[in-house]
Amino acid sequence: MTEQAVTAIGAGVFVGILGILIKYFGVMELIAGYDPETVTDEEGLADFIGTNALYVAVLTIGVGILESRAATADSGWYWIVFVIAVAAIAVRMIRGARRFEST
């Protein structure tokens, strides 16, 4: 297994742990910019952000698995797909989190 594969899988596991902590244990302090005074639905926000973090974790682990395979290791197409997907999820998280805030 290559160093990039191990790093990607490790990063995916780490992001997955963060997603689990947010979604299932309500550790809201892990959410960047979290302000308890402006959040109207903490449980909804935790579920939304935690679920999206788990999506990123699955994508990251998937890239690590692809990177570990000799047949795909020479091709970088999946890294492009990964970057686009993670950027789309990040935009979704930023825009969607506004639903749970009061103005």
Side-chain angles (χ1 to χ4, degrees):
M1 202 178 297
T2 68
E3 184 178 328
Q4 285 181 326
V6 172
T7 302
I9 292 170
V13 169
F14 178 72
V15 172
I17 291 169
L18 294 178
I20 289 169
L21 287 172
I22 293 168
K23 182 177 174 80
Y24 297 108
F25 296 99
V27 184
M28 304 296 286
E29 295 77 20
L30 295 174
I31 301 173
Y34 171 70
D35 182 4
E37 295 179 10
T38 62
V39 174
T40 57
D41 181 8
E42 288 191 5
E43 188 175 307
L45 179 63
D47 184 56
F48 178 74
I49 297 295
T51 299
N52 283 285
L54 291 172
Y55 293 156
V56 172
V58 168
L59 283 170
T60 308
I61 291 170
V63 164
I65 291 169
L66 285 173
E67 189 67 31
S68 70
R69 298 175 51 105
T72 59
D74 296 334
S75 173
W77 65 267
Y78 49 86
W79 283 108
I80 295 168
V81 172
F82 171 76
V83 169
I84 292 169
V86 170
I89 292 171
V91 168
R92 180 175 188 258
M93 289 170 77
I94 292 167
R95 297 180 119 202
R98 294 180 186 158
R99 293 186 300 200
F100 304 100
E101 295 180 350
S102 63
T103 54

Coordinates of all heavy atoms in Angstrom, one line a residue:
M1 N 0.8 -1.2 0.0 CA 0.0 0.0 0.0 C 0.9 1.2 0.0 O 1.9 1.3 0.8 CB -0.9 0.0 1.2 CG -2.1 0.8 1.0 SD -3.3 0.9 2.4 CE -3.9 -0.8 2.5
T2 N 0.5 2.2 -0.8 CA 1.4 3.4 -0.9 C 1.1 4.3 0.3 O 0.1 4.2 1.0 CB 1.1 4.2 -2.2 OG1 -0.2 4.7 -2.2 CG2 1.2 3.3 -3.4
E3 N 2.1 5.3 0.4 CA 1.9 6.2 1.5 C 0.7 7.1 1.3 O 0.0 7.5 2.3 CB 3.2 7.1 1.5 CG 3.2 8.1 2.7 CD 4.5 8.9 2.7 OE1 5.6 8.3 2.4 OE2 4.5 10.0 3.2
Q4 N 0.4 7.5 0.1 CA -0.8 8.3 -0.2 C -2.1 7.6 0.1 O -3.0 8.2 0.7 CB -0.8 8.7 -1.7 CG 0.2 9.8 -2.0 CD 0.0 10.2 -3.5 OE1 -0.2 9.3 -4.3 NE2 0.2 11.4 -3.8
A5 N -2.1 6.3 -0.1 CA -3.3 5.5 0.2 C -3.5 5.4 1.7 O -4.6 5.6 2.2 CB -3.1 4.1 -0.3
V6 N -2.4 5.2 2.5 CA -2.5 5.1 3.9 C -3.0 6.5 4.5 O -3.8 6.6 5.4 CB -1.2 4.7 4.5 CG1 -1.2 4.8 6.0 CG2 -0.9 3.3 4.1
T7 N -2.4 7.6 3.9 CA -2.7 8.9 4.4 C -4.2 9.2 4.1 O -4.9 9.7 5.0 CB -1.8 10.0 3.7 OG1 -0.5 9.6 4.0 CG2 -2.2 11.4 4.2
A8 N -4.7 8.9 2.9 CA -6.1 9.2 2.6 C -7.0 8.3 3.4 O -8.0 8.9 3.9 CB -6.3 8.9 1.1
I9 N -6.7 7.1 3.6 CA -7.6 6.2 4.5 C -7.6 6.7 5.9 O -8.6 6.8 6.6 CB -7.2 4.8 4.4 CG1 -7.5 4.2 3.0 CG2 -7.9 3.9 5.4 CD1 -6.9 2.9 2.7
G10 N -6.4 7.1 6.4 CA -6.3 7.7 7.8 C -7.1 8.9 7.9 O -7.8 9.2 8.9
A11 N -7.0 9.8 6.9 CA -7.8 11.1 7.0 C -9.3 10.8 6.9 O -10.0 11.5 7.6 CB -7.3 12.0 5.8
G12 N -9.6 9.8 6.1 CA -11.1 9.5 6.0 C -11.6 8.9 7.3 O -12.7 9.3 7.7
V13 N -10.8 8.1 8.0 CA -11.2 7.6 9.3 C -11.4 8.7 10.3 O -12.3 8.8 11.1 CB -10.2 6.5 9.8 CG1 -10.5 6.2 11.2 CG2 -10.3 5.3 8.9
F14 N -10.4 9.7 10.3 CA -10.5 10.8 11.2 C -11.7 11.7 10.9 O -12.4 12.0 11.9 CB -9.2 11.7 11.0 CG -9.2 12.9 11.9 CD1 -9.0 12.8 13.3 CD2 -9.3 14.1 11.3 CE1 -9.0 13.9 14.1 CE2 -9.3 15.3 12.1 CZ -9.2 15.2 13.5
V15 N -12.0 12.0 9.7 CA -13.2 12.8 9.4 C -14.4 12.0 9.7 O -15.4 12.6 10.2 CB -13.2 13.2 7.9 CG1 -14.5 13.8 7.5 CG2 -12.0 14.1 7.6
G16 N -14.4 10.7 9.5 CA -15.5 9.9 9.9 C -15.8 9.9 11.4 O -16.9 10.0 11.9
I17 N -14.7 9.9 12.2 CA -14.9 10.0 13.7 C -15.5 11.4 14.0 O -16.4 11.4 14.9 CB -13.5 9.8 14.4 CG1 -13.1 8.3 14.2 CG2 -13.6 10.2 15.8 CD1 -11.7 8.0 14.6
L18 N -15.0 12.4 13.4 CA -15.6 13.8 13.7 C -17.1 13.8 13.3 O -17.9 14.3 14.0 CB -14.8 14.8 12.9 CG -13.4 15.1 13.3 CD1 -12.7 16.1 12.4 CD2 -13.3 15.4 14.7
G19 N -17.4 13.2 12.1 CA -18.8 13.1 11.7 C -19.7 12.4 12.7 O -20.8 12.8 13.0
I20 N -19.2 11.3 13.2 CA -19.9 10.5 14.2 C -20.1 11.3 15.5 O -21.2 11.3 16.1 CB -19.2 9.2 14.5 CG1 -19.4 8.2 13.3 CG2 -19.8 8.5 15.7 CD1 -18.5 7.0 13.3
L21 N -19.0 12.0 15.9 CA -19.1 12.8 17.2 C -20.2 13.9 17.0 O -20.9 14.2 18.0 CB -17.8 13.4 17.5 CG -16.7 12.4 18.1 CD1 -15.4 13.0 18.2 CD2 -17.2 11.8 19.4
I22 N -20.2 14.5 15.9 CA -21.2 15.6 15.6 C -22.6 15.0 15.5 O -23.5 15.5 16.2 CB -20.8 16.4 14.4 CG1 -19.5 17.2 14.6 CG2 -21.9 17.4 14.0 CD1 -18.9 17.8 13.4
K23 N -22.8 14.1 14.6 CA -24.1 13.6 14.3 C -24.7 12.8 15.5 O -25.9 13.0 15.8 CB -24.0 12.7 13.1 CG -25.4 12.1 12.7 CD -25.3 11.3 11.4 CE -26.6 10.6 11.0 NZ -27.5 11.5 10.4
Y24 N -24.0 11.9 16.1 CA -24.6 11.0 17.1 C -24.4 11.4 18.5 O -25.1 10.9 19.4 CB -24.1 9.5 16.9 CG -24.5 9.0 15.5 CD1 -23.6 8.8 14.5 CD2 -25.8 8.7 15.3 CE1 -23.9 8.3 13.3 CE2 -26.2 8.2 14.0 CZ -25.2 8.0 13.0 OH -25.6 7.5 11.8
F25 N -23.4 12.2 18.8 CA -23.1 12.6 20.2 C -23.3 14.1 20.4 O -23.1 14.6 21.5 CB -21.7 12.2 20.6 CG -21.5 10.7 20.6 CD1 -20.9 10.0 19.5 CD2 -22.0 9.9 21.6 CE1 -20.8 8.6 19.4 CE2 -21.8 8.5 21.6 CZ -21.2 7.9 20.5
G26 N -23.6 14.8 19.3 CA -23.9 16.3 19.5 C -22.8 17.1 19.9 O -23.0 18.1 20.6
V27 N -21.6 16.8 19.5 CA -20.4 17.6 19.9 C -20.3 18.8 19.0 O -19.6 18.8 18.0 CB -19.1 16.7 19.9 CG1 -17.9 17.6 20.4 CG2 -19.2 15.5 20.7
M28 N -21.1 19.8 19.2 CA -21.3 20.9 18.4 C -20.0 21.8 18.3 O -19.9 22.5 17.3 CB -22.5 21.8 18.8 CG -23.8 21.0 19.0 SD -24.3 20.4 17.4 CE -24.9 21.9 16.7
E29 N -19.2 21.7 19.3 CA -18.0 22.5 19.3 C -17.0 22.2 18.1 O -16.1 23.0 17.8 CB -17.3 22.4 20.6 CG -18.0 22.9 21.8 CD -19.1 22.0 22.3 OE1 -19.1 20.8 22.0 OE2 -20.1 22.5 22.9
L30 N -17.2 21.1 17.5 CA -16.4 20.7 16.4 C -16.8 21.4 15.1 O -16.1 21.3 14.1 CB -16.5 19.1 16.1 CG -15.9 18.3 17.3 CD1 -16.2 16.8 17.0 CD2 -14.4 18.6 17.4
I31 N -17.9 22.0 15.1 CA -18.4 22.7 13.9 C -17.8 24.1 13.9 O -18.0 24.9 14.8 CB -20.0 22.8 13.9 CG1 -20.6 21.4 13.9 CG2 -20.4 23.6 12.6 CD1 -22.1 21.4 14.0
A32 N -17.1 24.5 12.8 CA -16.5 25.8 12.7 C -17.5 26.9 12.6 O -18.5 26.7 11.9 CB -15.6 25.8 11.4
G33 N -17.4 27.9 13.4 CA -18.3 29.0 13.4 C -19.5 28.8 14.1 O -20.5 29.6 14.1
Y34 N -19.6 27.7 14.9 CA -20.8 27.4 15.7 C -21.0 28.4 16.8 O -20.1 28.7 17.6 CB -20.7 26.0 16.3 CG -21.8 25.7 17.3 CD1 -23.1 25.5 16.9 CD2 -21.5 25.6 18.6 CE1 -24.1 25.2 17.8 CE2 -22.5 25.3 19.5 CZ -23.8 25.1 19.1 OH -24.8 24.9 20.0
D35 N -22.2 29.0 16.8 CA -22.6 30.0 17.8 C -23.9 29.6 18.4 O -24.9 29.7 17.8 CB -22.7 31.4 17.2 CG -23.0 32.5 18.2 OD1 -23.1 32.2 19.4 OD2 -23.2 33.6 17.8
P36 N -23.9 29.0 19.6 CA -25.1 28.5 20.2 C -26.2 29.5 20.4 O -27.4 29.2 20.5 CB -24.7 28.0 21.6 CG -23.4 28.6 21.9 CD -22.8 28.9 20.6
E37 N -25.9 30.8 20.4 CA -26.9 31.9 20.5 C -27.7 32.1 19.3 O -28.8 32.6 19.3 CB -26.2 33.2 21.0 CG -25.6 33.0 22.4 CD -25.0 34.3 22.9 OE1 -25.1 35.3 22.2 OE2 -24.3 34.2 23.9
T38 N -27.1 31.7 18.1 CA -27.8 32.0 16.8 C -28.5 30.7 16.3 O -29.3 30.8 15.3 CB -26.9 32.6 15.8 OG1 -25.8 31.7 15.5 CG2 -26.3 33.9 16.3
V39 N -28.1 29.6 16.8 CA -28.7 28.3 16.3 C -30.0 28.0 16.8 O -30.2 28.1 18.1 CB -27.7 27.1 16.6 CG1 -28.3 25.8 16.2 CG2 -26.4 27.3 15.9
T40 N -31.0 27.8 16.0 CA -32.4 27.6 16.4 C -32.7 26.1 16.6 O -33.6 25.7 17.3 CB -33.4 28.2 15.4 OG1 -33.1 27.6 14.1 CG2 -33.2 29.7 15.4
D41 N -32.0 25.2 15.8 CA -32.2 23.8 15.9 C -30.9 23.0 16.0 O -30.3 22.6 14.9 CB -33.0 23.3 14.7 CG -33.3 21.9 14.6 OD1 -33.1 21.2 15.6 OD2 -33.9 21.4 13.6
E42 N -30.4 22.8 17.2 CA -29.1 22.2 17.3 C -29.1 20.8 16.9 O -28.1 20.3 16.2 CB -28.6 22.3 18.8 CG -28.2 23.7 19.2 CD -27.6 23.7 20.6 OE1 -27.3 22.6 21.2 OE2 -27.3 24.8 21.1
E43 N -30.1 20.0 17.1 CA -30.2 18.6 16.7 C -30.2 18.5 15.2 O -29.5 17.7 14.6 CB -31.4 18.0 17.3 CG -31.5 16.5 17.1 CD -32.7 15.8 17.8 OE1 -32.8 16.1 19.0 OE2 -33.4 15.1 17.1
G44 N -30.9 19.4 14.5 CA -31.0 19.4 13.0 C -29.6 19.8 12.4 O -29.2 19.2 11.5
L45 N -29.0 20.8 13.0 CA -27.7 21.2 12.5 C -26.6 20.0 12.7 O -25.9 19.8 11.8 CB -27.2 22.4 13.3 CG -25.8 23.0 12.9 CD1 -25.8 23.4 11.4 CD2 -25.4 24.1 13.8
A46 N -26.7 19.4 13.9 CA -25.7 18.3 14.1 C -26.0 17.2 13.2 O -25.0 16.6 12.6 CB -25.9 17.8 15.6
D47 N -27.2 16.8 12.9 CA -27.5 15.8 11.9 C -27.0 16.2 10.5 O -26.4 15.3 9.8 CB -29.0 15.5 11.9 CG -29.4 14.4 11.0 OD1 -28.8 13.2 11.3 OD2 -30.2 14.5 10.1
F48 N -27.3 17.4 10.1 CA -26.9 17.8 8.8 C -25.4 17.9 8.6 O -24.9 17.3 7.6 CB -27.5 19.2 8.5 CG -27.2 19.8 7.2 CD1 -27.8 19.3 6.0 CD2 -26.3 20.8 7.1 CE1 -27.5 19.9 4.8 CE2 -25.9 21.4 5.9 CZ -26.5 20.9 4.7
I49 N -24.7 18.5 9.5 CA -23.3 18.6 9.3 C -22.6 17.3 9.5 O -21.7 16.9 8.8 CB -22.7 19.7 10.3 CG1 -23.3 21.1 10.1 CG2 -21.2 19.7 10.3 CD1 -22.8 21.6 8.7
G50 N -23.0 16.5 10.5 CA -22.5 15.2 10.7 C -22.6 14.2 9.6 O -21.7 13.5 9.2
T51 N -23.8 14.3 9.0 CA -24.1 13.4 7.8 C -23.2 13.8 6.6 O -22.6 12.9 6.0 CB -25.5 13.5 7.4 OG1 -26.4 13.0 8.4 CG2 -25.8 12.7 6.1
N52 N -23.0 15.1 6.4 CA -22.2 15.5 5.3 C -20.7 15.2 5.6 O -19.9 14.9 4.6 CB -22.4 17.0 5.0 CG -23.7 17.3 4.2 OD1 -23.7 17.0 3.0 ND2 -24.7 17.7 4.9
A53 N -20.3 15.3 6.8 CA -18.9 14.9 7.2 C -18.7 13.4 6.9 O -17.6 13.0 6.4 CB -18.6 15.3 8.6
L54 N -19.7 12.6 7.2 CA -19.6 11.2 6.9 C -19.5 10.9 5.4 O -18.8 10.0 4.9 CB -20.8 10.4 7.5 CG -20.7 10.4 9.0 CD1 -22.0 9.8 9.6 CD2 -19.5 9.6 9.5
Y55 N -20.2 11.8 4.6 CA -20.1 11.6 3.1 C -18.6 11.9 2.7 O -18.0 11.2 1.9 CB -21.0 12.6 2.4 CG -22.4 12.4 2.5 CD1 -23.3 13.4 2.3 CD2 -23.0 11.1 2.8 CE1 -24.7 13.3 2.4 CE2 -24.3 10.9 2.9 CZ -25.2 12.0 2.7 OH -26.5 11.8 2.8
V56 N -18.0 12.9 3.2 CA -16.6 13.3 2.9 C -15.7 12.1 3.4 O -14.8 11.8 2.7 CB -16.2 14.6 3.6 CG1 -14.7 14.9 3.4 CG2 -17.0 15.8 2.9
A57 N -16.0 11.5 4.5 CA -15.2 10.4 5.0 C -15.2 9.3 4.1 O -14.2 8.7 3.8 CB -15.7 10.0 6.4
V58 N -16.4 8.9 3.6 CA -16.5 7.8 2.7 C -15.8 8.1 1.4 O -15.1 7.2 0.9 CB -18.0 7.5 2.4 CG1 -18.2 6.5 1.3 CG2 -18.7 6.9 3.7
L59 N -15.9 9.3 0.9 CA -15.2 9.6 -0.4 C -13.7 9.5 -0.1 O -13.0 9.0 -1.0 CB -15.6 11.1 -0.8 CG -16.9 11.3 -1.5 CD1 -17.2 12.8 -1.6 CD2 -16.9 10.6 -2.8
T60 N -13.2 10.0 1.0 CA -11.8 10.0 1.3 C -11.2 8.6 1.4 O -10.2 8.3 0.9 CB -11.5 10.8 2.5 OG1 -12.1 12.1 2.4 CG2 -10.0 11.0 2.8
I61 N -12.0 7.7 2.1 CA -11.6 6.3 2.2 C -11.6 5.7 0.9 O -10.7 4.9 0.5 CB -12.4 5.6 3.3 CG1 -12.1 6.1 4.7 CG2 -12.2 4.1 3.2 CD1 -13.1 5.7 5.7
G62 N -12.6 6.0 0.1 CA -12.7 5.4 -1.3 C -11.5 5.8 -2.1 O -11.0 5.0 -2.9
V63 N -11.1 7.1 -2.1 CA -9.9 7.5 -2.8 C -8.7 6.7 -2.3 O -7.8 6.3 -3.1 CB -9.7 9.0 -2.7 CG1 -8.3 9.4 -3.1 CG2 -10.7 9.7 -3.5
G64 N -8.6 6.5 -1.0 CA -7.4 5.8 -0.5 C -7.4 4.4 -1.0 O -6.3 3.8 -1.3
I65 N -8.6 3.7 -1.1 CA -8.6 2.4 -1.6 C -8.2 2.4 -3.1 O -7.5 1.5 -3.5 CB -10.0 1.8 -1.4 CG1 -10.3 1.6 0.1 CG2 -10.2 0.5 -2.2 CD1 -11.7 1.2 0.5
L66 N -8.7 3.3 -3.8 CA -8.4 3.4 -5.3 C -6.9 3.6 -5.4 O -6.2 3.1 -6.3 CB -9.1 4.5 -6.0 CG -10.6 4.2 -6.3 CD1 -11.3 5.5 -6.8 CD2 -10.7 3.1 -7.3
E67 N -6.3 4.5 -4.5 CA -4.9 4.8 -4.6 C -4.0 3.5 -4.3 O -2.9 3.4 -4.7 CB -4.6 5.9 -3.6 CG -3.2 6.4 -3.7 CD -2.9 7.2 -5.0 OE1 -3.8 7.8 -5.6 OE2 -1.7 7.1 -5.4
S68 N -4.6 2.6 -3.4 CA -3.8 1.4 -3.1 C -3.8 0.4 -4.1 O -2.9 -0.5 -4.1 CB -4.4 0.8 -1.8 OG -5.7 0.3 -2.0
R69 N -4.7 0.5 -5.1 CA -4.8 -0.5 -6.2 C -3.8 -0.2 -7.2 O -3.7 0.9 -7.7 CB -6.2 -0.6 -6.7 CG -7.2 -1.0 -5.7 CD -8.6 -1.0 -6.3 NE -8.6 -1.7 -7.5 CZ -9.2 -2.9 -7.7 NH1 -9.7 -3.5 -6.7 NH2 -9.2 -3.4 -8.9
A70 N -3.0 -1.1 -7.6 CA -1.9 -0.9 -8.6 C -2.5 -0.5 -10.0 O -1.9 0.3 -10.7 CB -1.1 -2.2 -8.8
A71 N -3.7 -1.0 -10.3 CA -4.3 -0.7 -11.6 C -4.7 0.8 -11.8 O -4.7 1.3 -12.8 CB -5.5 -1.6 -11.9
T72 N -5.1 1.4 -10.7 CA -5.6 2.8 -10.7 C -4.6 3.8 -10.2 O -4.8 5.0 -10.3 CB -6.9 2.9 -9.9 OG1 -6.7 2.6 -8.6 CG2 -8.0 2.1 -10.6
A73 N -3.5 3.3 -9.6 CA -2.5 4.2 -8.9 C -1.8 5.1 -9.9 O -1.4 6.2 -9.6 CB -1.5 3.4 -8.2
D74 N -1.7 4.7 -11.2 CA -1.1 5.6 -12.2 C -2.0 6.6 -12.7 O -1.6 7.6 -13.4 CB -0.6 4.7 -13.3 CG 0.5 3.8 -12.9 OD1 1.2 4.1 -11.9 OD2 0.7 2.7 -13.5
S75 N -3.3 6.5 -12.5 CA -4.3 7.4 -13.0 C -4.8 8.3 -11.9 O -5.0 7.9 -10.8 CB -5.5 6.6 -13.6 OG -6.5 7.5 -13.9
G76 N -4.9 9.6 -12.2 CA -5.3 10.5 -11.1 C -6.7 11.0 -11.3 O -7.1 12.0 -10.7
W77 N -7.5 10.4 -12.2 CA -8.9 10.9 -12.5 C -9.7 10.9 -11.2 O -10.5 11.8 -11.0 CB -9.6 10.0 -13.5 CG -9.8 8.6 -13.0 CD1 -9.0 7.5 -13.2 CD2 -10.9 8.1 -12.3 NE1 -9.5 6.4 -12.7 CE2 -10.7 6.7 -12.1 CE3 -12.0 8.6 -11.8 CZ2 -11.5 5.9 -11.3 CZ3 -12.9 7.8 -11.0 CH2 -12.7 6.5 -10.8
Y78 N -9.5 10.0 -10.3 CA -10.4 9.9 -9.1 C -10.1 11.1 -8.1 O -10.9 11.5 -7.4 CB -10.3 8.6 -8.4 CG -8.9 8.1 -8.2 CD1 -8.2 8.4 -7.1 CD2 -8.3 7.2 -9.1 CE1 -6.9 8.0 -6.9 CE2 -7.0 6.8 -8.9 CZ -6.3 7.1 -7.8 OH -5.0 6.7 -7.6
W79 N -8.8 11.6 -8.2 CA -8.5 12.8 -7.4 C -9.3 14.0 -7.8 O -9.7 14.8 -7.0 CB -7.0 13.0 -7.4 CG -6.2 12.1 -6.5 CD1 -5.4 11.1 -6.9 CD2 -6.2 12.0 -5.1 NE1 -4.9 10.4 -5.9 CE2 -5.4 11.0 -4.7 CE3 -6.8 12.8 -4.1 CZ2 -5.1 10.6 -3.4 CZ3 -6.6 12.5 -2.8 CH2 -5.7 11.4 -2.4
I80 N -9.4 14.1 -9.1 CA -10.2 15.3 -9.7 C -11.7 15.1 -9.2 O -12.3 16.1 -8.8 CB -10.1 15.3 -11.2 CG1 -8.6 15.6 -11.6 CG2 -11.0 16.4 -11.8 CD1 -8.3 15.4 -13.0
V81 N -12.2 14.0 -9.4 CA -13.6 13.7 -8.9 C -13.7 14.0 -7.4 O -14.7 14.6 -7.0 CB -14.0 12.3 -9.3 CG1 -15.4 11.9 -8.7 CG2 -14.0 12.1 -10.8
F82 N -12.8 13.5 -6.7 CA -12.8 13.7 -5.2 C -12.8 15.2 -4.9 O -13.6 15.6 -4.0 CB -11.5 13.0 -4.6 CG -11.3 13.3 -3.2 CD1 -12.1 12.7 -2.2 CD2 -10.3 14.2 -2.7 CE1 -11.9 13.0 -0.8 CE2 -10.1 14.5 -1.4 CZ -10.9 13.9 -0.4
V83 N -11.9 16.0 -5.5 CA -11.8 17.4 -5.2 C -13.1 18.1 -5.5 O -13.7 18.9 -4.7 CB -10.6 18.1 -5.9 CG1 -10.7 19.6 -5.8 CG2 -9.3 17.6 -5.3
I84 N -13.7 17.8 -6.7 CA -15.0 18.4 -7.1 C -16.1 18.0 -6.1 O -16.9 18.9 -5.7 CB -15.3 18.0 -8.5 CG1 -14.3 18.7 -9.5 CG2 -16.8 18.4 -8.9 CD1 -14.4 18.1 -10.9
A85 N -16.1 16.7 -5.7 CA -17.2 16.3 -4.8 C -17.1 16.9 -3.4 O -18.1 17.3 -2.9 CB -17.1 14.7 -4.7
V86 N -15.9 17.0 -2.9 CA -15.7 17.6 -1.6 C -16.0 19.1 -1.6 O -16.6 19.6 -0.7 CB -14.2 17.3 -1.1 CG1 -13.9 18.1 0.2 CG2 -14.1 15.8 -0.8
A87 N -15.6 19.7 -2.7 CA -16.0 21.2 -2.8 C -17.5 21.3 -2.9 O -18.0 22.3 -2.2 CB -15.3 21.8 -4.0
A88 N -18.2 20.5 -3.6 CA -19.6 20.6 -3.7 C -20.3 20.3 -2.3 O -21.2 21.0 -1.9 CB -20.2 19.6 -4.7
I89 N -19.8 19.3 -1.6 CA -20.3 19.0 -0.2 C -20.0 20.2 0.7 O -20.9 20.6 1.5 CB -19.7 17.7 0.3 CG1 -20.2 16.6 -0.5 CG2 -20.1 17.5 1.8 CD1 -19.6 15.2 -0.2
A90 N -18.8 20.8 0.6 CA -18.5 22.0 1.5 C -19.5 23.1 1.2 O -20.0 23.8 2.1 CB -17.1 22.4 1.2
V91 N -19.7 23.4 -0.1 CA -20.7 24.5 -0.4 C -22.1 24.1 0.1 O -22.7 25.0 0.7 CB -20.7 24.7 -1.9 CG1 -21.9 25.6 -2.3 CG2 -19.4 25.3 -2.4
R92 N -22.5 22.9 0.0 CA -23.8 22.4 0.5 C -23.8 22.6 2.0 O -24.9 23.0 2.6 CB -24.0 21.0 0.1 CG -25.3 20.4 0.6 CD -25.4 19.0 0.0 NE -26.7 18.5 0.3 CZ -27.0 17.6 1.3 NH1 -26.1 17.1 2.1 NH2 -28.2 17.2 1.5
M93 N -22.8 22.3 2.7 CA -22.7 22.4 4.2 C -22.8 23.9 4.6 O -23.6 24.2 5.5 CB -21.5 21.8 4.7 CG -21.4 20.3 4.6 SD -19.8 19.6 5.0 CE -19.9 19.7 6.8
I94 N -22.1 24.7 3.9 CA -22.1 26.2 4.3 C -23.5 26.8 4.0 O -24.0 27.5 4.9 CB -21.0 26.9 3.5 CG1 -19.6 26.5 4.0 CG2 -21.2 28.4 3.7 CD1 -18.5 26.9 3.0
R95 N -24.0 26.5 2.9 CA -25.3 27.1 2.5 C -26.5 26.4 3.4 O -27.4 27.1 3.8 CB -25.6 26.9 1.1 CG -24.6 27.6 0.2 CD -24.9 27.5 -1.2 NE -25.2 28.8 -1.7 CZ -25.8 29.1 -2.8 NH1 -26.3 28.1 -3.6 NH2 -26.0 30.3 -3.2
G96 N -26.4 25.1 3.6 CA -27.4 24.4 4.3 C -27.5 24.7 5.8 O -28.5 24.7 6.4
A97 N -26.3 25.0 6.3 CA -26.2 25.3 7.8 C -27.0 26.6 8.1 O -27.4 26.8 9.3 CB -24.8 25.5 8.2
R98 N -27.2 27.5 7.2 CA -27.9 28.7 7.4 C -29.4 28.5 7.8 O -30.0 29.3 8.4 CB -27.9 29.6 6.2 CG -26.5 30.1 5.9 CD -26.4 31.0 4.7 NE -25.0 31.3 4.4 CZ -24.6 31.7 3.2 NH1 -25.5 31.8 2.2 NH2 -23.4 32.0 3.0
R99 N -29.9 27.3 7.4 CA -31.3 27.0 7.7 C -31.5 26.9 9.2 O -32.6 27.0 9.7 CB -31.7 25.6 7.1 CG -31.8 25.6 5.7 CD -32.3 24.2 5.3 NE -31.4 23.2 5.8 CZ -31.4 21.9 5.3 NH1 -32.2 21.6 4.4 NH2 -30.5 21.0 5.8
F100 N -30.5 26.6 9.9 CA -30.6 26.3 11.4 C -30.2 27.5 12.2 O -30.1 27.4 13.4 CB -29.7 25.1 11.7 CG -30.0 23.9 10.9 CD1 -29.2 23.6 9.8 CD2 -31.1 23.1 11.2 CE1 -29.5 22.4 9.0 CE2 -31.4 22.0 10.5 CZ -30.6 21.7 9.4
E101 N -30.0 28.7 11.6 CA -29.6 29.9 12.3 C -30.7 30.9 12.2 O -31.5 31.0 11.3 CB -28.4 30.5 11.7 CG -27.1 29.7 11.8 CD -25.9 30.3 11.2 OE1 -26.1 31.4 10.5 OE2 -24.8 29.8 11.4
S102 N -30.8 31.7 13.3 CA -31.7 32.9 13.3 C -30.9 34.1 12.8 O -29.7 34.2 13.1 CB -32.3 33.1 14.7 OG -31.3 33.4 15.6
T103 N -31.6 35.0 12.2 CA -30.9 36.2 11.7 C -31.1 37.4 12.6 O -31.9 37.4 13.4 CB -31.3 36.5 10.3 OG1 -32.7 36.6 10.3 CG2 -30.8 35.5 9.3

